[in-house]
Amino acid sequence: IAVVFIFVLAGLGLKTEEFKKAFQRIWFNLFVQCYNFFVVSAIVFGFSRLLYSTKALDLALANGMVICASLPITVNSVLVLTKSGGGDEAAAVFNAAFGNMTGVFLTPVLILGY
Protein backbone atom coordinates (compact mmCIF):
# COMPACT_ATOMS: atom_id res chain seq x y z
CA ILE A 1 0.00 0.00 0.00
CA ALA A 2 2.84 2.39 0.84
CA VAL A 3 4.49 1.77 -2.54
CA VAL A 4 1.28 2.60 -4.35
CA PHE A 5 0.82 5.75 -2.23
CA ILE A 6 4.36 6.98 -2.93
CA PHE A 7 3.94 6.10 -6.62
CA VAL A 8 0.73 8.15 -6.78
CA LEU A 9 2.32 11.13 -5.03
CA ALA A 10 5.35 11.03 -7.32
CA GLY A 11 3.15 10.59 -10.36
CA LEU A 12 0.97 13.60 -9.60
CA GLY A 13 3.77 15.93 -10.62
CA LEU A 14 4.39 14.19 -13.94
CA LYS A 15 2.44 14.28 -17.17
CA THR A 16 0.62 11.19 -18.42
CA GLU A 17 2.50 11.41 -21.71
CA GLU A 18 5.82 11.10 -19.85
CA PHE A 19 4.66 7.90 -18.14
CA LYS A 20 3.48 6.53 -21.47
CA LYS A 21 6.92 7.13 -22.99
CA ALA A 22 8.64 5.61 -19.96
CA PHE A 23 6.42 2.52 -20.11
CA GLN A 24 7.09 2.02 -23.83
CA ARG A 25 10.86 1.88 -23.39
CA ILE A 26 10.77 -1.89 -22.84
CA TRP A 27 14.46 -2.66 -23.41
CA PHE A 28 15.58 0.12 -21.10
CA ASN A 29 13.15 -1.00 -18.38
CA LEU A 30 14.24 -4.63 -18.79
CA PHE A 31 17.89 -3.60 -18.51
CA VAL A 32 17.25 -1.57 -15.35
CA GLN A 33 15.32 -4.38 -13.66
CA CYS A 34 17.86 -7.07 -14.61
CA TYR A 35 20.75 -4.90 -13.46
CA ASN A 36 19.09 -4.01 -10.14
CA PHE A 37 18.09 -7.56 -9.28
CA PHE A 38 20.64 -9.87 -10.92
CA VAL A 39 23.87 -7.96 -11.55
CA VAL A 40 24.04 -6.12 -8.23
CA SER A 41 23.15 -9.19 -6.17
CA ALA A 42 25.62 -11.38 -8.10
CA ILE A 43 28.47 -8.90 -7.55
CA VAL A 44 27.67 -8.61 -3.85
CA PHE A 45 27.38 -12.40 -3.58
CA GLY A 46 30.83 -12.86 -5.12
CA PHE A 47 32.38 -10.11 -3.03
CA SER A 48 30.83 -11.37 0.21
CA ARG A 49 32.00 -14.92 -0.47
CA LEU A 50 35.50 -13.63 -1.21
CA LEU A 51 35.57 -11.77 2.10
CA TYR A 52 34.14 -14.81 3.90
CA SER A 53 36.79 -17.11 2.41
CA THR A 54 39.55 -14.79 3.65
CA LYS A 55 37.91 -14.76 7.12
CA ALA A 56 37.28 -11.01 6.87
CA LEU A 57 33.52 -11.54 7.32
CA ASP A 58 31.39 -13.85 9.39
CA LEU A 59 28.99 -16.07 7.41
CA ALA A 60 25.93 -14.36 8.90
CA LEU A 61 27.17 -10.94 7.79
CA ALA A 62 28.06 -12.25 4.33
CA ASN A 63 24.57 -13.73 3.98
CA GLY A 64 23.05 -10.44 5.20
CA MET A 65 24.91 -8.55 2.50
CA VAL A 66 23.46 -10.86 -0.16
CA ILE A 67 19.95 -10.50 1.26
CA CYS A 68 20.19 -6.70 1.24
CA ALA A 69 21.55 -6.70 -2.32
CA SER A 70 18.64 -8.86 -3.47
CA LEU A 71 16.03 -6.36 -2.28
CA PRO A 72 14.46 -3.91 -4.75
CA ILE A 73 15.48 -0.28 -4.82
CA THR A 74 13.40 2.20 -2.84
CA VAL A 75 11.07 4.64 -4.55
CA ASN A 76 12.14 7.57 -2.39
CA SER A 77 15.86 7.29 -3.01
CA VAL A 78 15.34 6.76 -6.73
CA LEU A 79 13.17 9.84 -6.96
CA VAL A 80 15.55 12.06 -4.99
CA LEU A 81 18.66 10.92 -6.87
CA THR A 82 16.97 11.22 -10.27
CA LYS A 83 15.66 14.72 -9.56
CA SER A 84 19.02 15.91 -8.25
CA GLY A 85 20.81 14.42 -11.26
CA GLY A 86 18.35 15.85 -13.78
CA GLY A 87 17.32 12.41 -15.06
CA ASP A 88 14.12 11.00 -16.51
CA GLU A 89 11.77 11.11 -13.53
CA ALA A 90 8.97 9.18 -15.22
CA ALA A 91 11.27 6.26 -16.05
CA ALA A 92 12.70 6.33 -12.53
CA VAL A 93 9.28 6.27 -10.89
CA PHE A 94 8.06 3.51 -13.19
CA ASN A 95 11.12 1.32 -12.63
CA ALA A 96 11.14 1.86 -8.89
CA ALA A 97 7.45 1.03 -8.54
CA PHE A 98 7.68 -1.93 -10.92
CA GLY A 99 10.79 -3.20 -9.15
CA ASN A 100 9.07 -3.05 -5.79
CA MET A 101 6.05 -4.93 -7.10
CA THR A 102 8.11 -7.66 -8.79
CA GLY A 103 10.55 -7.74 -5.88
CA VAL A 104 7.88 -9.27 -3.68
CA PHE A 105 8.13 -12.42 -5.79
CA LEU A 106 11.69 -12.20 -7.14
CA THR A 107 13.60 -11.42 -3.93
CA PRO A 108 12.79 -14.73 -2.16
CA VAL A 109 13.77 -16.63 -5.31
CA LEU A 110 17.09 -14.80 -5.46
CA ILE A 111 17.82 -15.31 -1.78
CA LEU A 112 17.04 -19.02 -1.95
CA GLY A 113 19.03 -19.31 -5.18
CA TYR A 114 22.20 -17.97 -3.58
Side-chain angles (χ1 to χ4, degrees):
I1 294 175
V3 172
V4 174
F5 181 69
I6 294 171
F7 180 70
V8 168
L9 286 179
L12 289 176
L14 299 172
K15 296 178 183 175
T16 309
E17 189 65 32
E18 293 177 19
F19 274 122
K20 184 178 176 184
K21 286 180 186 177
F23 181 73
Q24 291 174 344
R25 297 173 63 191
I26 294 172
W27 292 112
F28 173 73
N29 296 331
L30 184 65
F31 171 77
V32 169
Q33 296 304 319
C34 288
Y35 183 83
N36 285 335
F37 281 110
F38 301 114
V39 175
V40 171
S41 63
I43 290 171
V44 171
F45 176 75
F47 186 67
S48 68
R49 293 307 177 244
L50 175 72
L51 291 176
Y52 173 69
S53 67
T54 61
K55 304 293 184 208
L57 279 182
D58 185 46
L59 182 60
L61 185 57
N63 289 337
M65 289 175 61
V66 174
I67 290 170
C68 287
S70 299
L71 294 171
I73 52 179
T74 63
V75 178
N76 292 341
S77 63
V78 167
L79 212 62
V80 169
L81 293 173
T82 303
K83 281 186 180 184
S84 66
D88 187 358
E89 294 176 36
V93 169
F94 172 77
N95 279 300
F98 185 75
N100 277 284
M101 286 186 278
T102 57
V104 171
F105 306 103
L106 194 55
T107 298
V109 173
L110 284 172
I111 292 170
L112 292 175
Y114 288 122

